[in-house]
Amino acid sequence: EDQVTQSPEALRLQEGESSSLNCSYTVSGLRGLFWYRQDPGKGPEFLFTLYSAGEEKEKERLKATLTKKESFLHITAPKPEDSATYLCAVQAPGNQFYFGTGTSLTVIP
Amino acid sequence: DTGVSQDPRHKITKRGQNVTFRCDPISEHNRLYWYRQTLGQGPEFLTYFQNEAQLEKSRLLSDRFSAERPKGSFSTLEIQRTEQGDSAMYLCASSLSPRSTQETQYFGPGTRLLVL
């Protein structure tokens, strides 16, 4: 069965302390892997799409990478405003999208 | 604002009542998705449309749920005879069906449903 697992479930960082979030997947024939940010009570906000192993994308303090079995979201020198839940999703060949349960990030000033 | 919009943003209802939610996608997007999200979980796929055709429904979607997308524009999601277990955030997303395999979904703000 297609599955997406994110780790850790929660992460507390000091401001400026870099770290990485992990998303592992078991989908066969991956069509795309997506990272979203979600603030409490709001819909997910699109961050990145990755389509092939070795691909990398960056936006401000965030960098997403993809291998054949997992993706990492690297956060460099985070700020308190980066606090949110980060969701990973994969698109299977049948066009369904499967989401992980997210990593709740808290950045402490 | 040219993003995905949803209405209402919040709905409180009594068990057994029917509710209907509306989603307006980004104007040029031909695909529209509905998801349900409960606290601490990721969004769970319910159904999706390409233009006005409903192409797939999750096997988790009970017969009390129905969705429409008349004329391939806005969509409605109706829940009949609501149950307390239906309490969740209902999210809508839209995308542009690509010529290649690349597709990105953009989400609306969600409708939070509370069934008493």
Side-chain angles (χ1 to χ4, degrees):
Chain A
E1 182 178 315
D2 296 331
Q3 196 165 18
V4 179
T5 304
Q6 291 189 247
S7 62
E9 289 186 8
L11 183 62
R12 289 173 64 89
L13 298 173
Q14 293 290 329
E15 184 172 1
E17 179 187 2
S18 301
S19 188
S20 296
L21 314 181
N22 177 263
C23 171
S24 62
Y25 60 92
T26 58
V27 170
S28 300
L30 179 76
R31 292 181 58 188
L33 185 140
F34 305 83
W35 282 98
Y36 289 87
R37 169 192 171 128
Q38 187 172 29
D39 293 301
K42 297 186 177 181
E45 174 188 343
F46 170 73
L47 294 174
F48 302 109
T49 309
L50 301 165
Y51 293 103
S52 56
E55 190 175 0
E56 298 182 353
K57 288 193 176 173
E58 289 188 65
K59 179 181 179 180
E60 296 180 351
R61 295 177 293 283
L62 300 176
K63 179 180 177 180
T65 61
L66 180 65
T67 70
K68 288 185 178 180
K69 292 296 182 185
E70 59 189 350
S71 176
F72 291 93
L73 184 66
H74 307 278
I75 302 176
T76 302
K79 298 182 178 181
E81 54 262 41
D82 295 322
S83 297
T85 294
Y86 290 84
L87 293 166
C88 167
V90 298
Q91 183 180 16
N95 205 46
Q96 280 214 21
F97 286 75
Y98 298 95
F99 280 81
T101 55
T103 293
S104 176
L105 174 67
T106 303
V107 181
I108 304 163
Chain B
D1 190 337
T2 57
V4 179
S5 61
Q6 293 186 245
D7 183 72
R9 296 291 309 278
H10 303 275
K11 179 71 176 180
I12 300 174
T13 191
K14 293 182 179 179
R15 189 176 54 186
Q17 298 294 305
N18 298 344
V19 295
T20 300
F21 309 141
R22 175 178 171 128
C23 171
D24 287 89
I26 293 172
S27 59
E28 65 269 25
H29 284 184
N30 57 350
R31 284 187 178 169
L32 187 150
Y33 296 77
W34 284 100
Y35 290 86
R36 177 172 61 193
Q37 186 178 26
T38 54
L39 196 64
Q41 300 297 313
E44 175 185 48
F45 170 80
L46 294 178
T47 188
Y48 94 93
F49 294 83
Q50 179 149 328
N51 300 312
E52 65 276 8
Q54 188 172 17
L55 296 188
E56 193 162 351
K57 292 171 62 173
S58 167
R59 59 181 180 273
L60 302 175
L61 201 64
S62 83
D63 292 342
R64 298 184 295 105
F65 287 71
S66 62
E68 295 182 342
R69 194 184 181 196
K71 303 179 182 178
S73 55
F74 71 93
S75 176
T76 58
L77 177 69
E78 181 183 16
I79 309 174
Q80 296 182 327
R81 305 181 302 283
T82 53
E83 302 173 355
Q84 288 184 327
D86 296 331
S87 296
M89 173 82 90
Y90 289 84
L91 293 163
C92 174
S94 71
S95 67
L96 183 61
S97 175
R99 293 196 183 98
S100 69
T101 60
Q102 301 184 3
E103 177 180 358
T104 297
Q105 296 183 345
Y106 295 89
F107 282 82
T111 294
R112 183 169 295 282
L113 172 67
L114 177 61
V115 181
L116 301 177

